[in-house]
Amino acid sequence: MPDALANRTRSGPGRLLIAVYAIFALSATARSVVQLTTHLSRAPLAYLLSALAAVVYIVATVCLARGNRTSRRIATVSILVELVGVLAVGTWSLLDPAAFPDATVWSDYGQGYGYVPAVLPLLGLWWLRVSGKPTAAE
């Protein structure tokens, strides 16, 4: 029987959060694989950052879905990396657009994805905090 912490992590809004992370994991992975295999020389920095984003989204998805104490710690670290990445790459891409001739998931703070990449780590960290508290029934 799964533990209560894992159940809290995967329940309610956690299910939606895991689904969104999974969608971003798939889309970022597909985007980076195509970019890296077809025209790496055109924008290597942007394409490698897309691959990094894909790895971060995959790790966050798997760890949120597992939901145990260790997985939640890893998810927290990966989501913090995601937040730093979105802020750093978003700012860098605005200050030096020439460094990003092609967009990444995180460039312009995720503008190409409806700014979801900028909001997602905040929601992820919030959910990890909220779902980590035991309920009265526990």
Side-chain angles (χ1 to χ4, degrees):
M1 179 173 175
D3 66 33
L5 181 60
N7 285 336
R8 286 195 312 270
T9 305
R10 297 185 298 240
S11 67
R15 286 184 180 181
L16 178 59
L17 187 66
I18 292 165
V20 173
Y21 266 101
I23 290 167
F24 271 80
L26 288 171
S27 65
T29 299
R31 178 182 196 152
S32 66
V33 166
V34 169
Q35 291 172 328
L36 291 171
T37 58
T38 59
H39 39 274
L40 175 61
S41 62
R42 186 164 72 194
L45 175 64
Y47 300 159
L48 291 171
L49 286 170
S50 285
L52 173 64
V55 170
V56 169
Y57 288 128
I58 290 167
V59 170
T61 302
V62 170
C63 290
L64 287 169
R66 290 190 59 163
N68 62 38
R69 180 172 290 136
T70 301
S71 294
R72 288 172 55 91
R73 287 181 182 148
I74 296 168
T76 300
V77 171
S78 68
I79 292 171
L80 286 169
V81 168
E82 173 193 3
L83 179 60
V84 169
V86 170
L87 295 174
V89 172
T91 302
W92 188 4
S93 64
L94 292 175
L95 295 175
D96 186 11
F100 296 88
D102 282 350
T104 73
V105 176
W106 294 340
S107 58
D108 300 325
Y109 305 106
Q111 179 182 16
Y113 290 87
Y115 297 102
V116 172
V119 176
L120 192 58
L122 300 175
L123 292 175
L125 292 170
W126 169 81
W127 182 247
L128 285 167
R129 181 179 169 99
V130 169
S131 66
K133 298 176 183 175
T135 63
E138 296 176 59

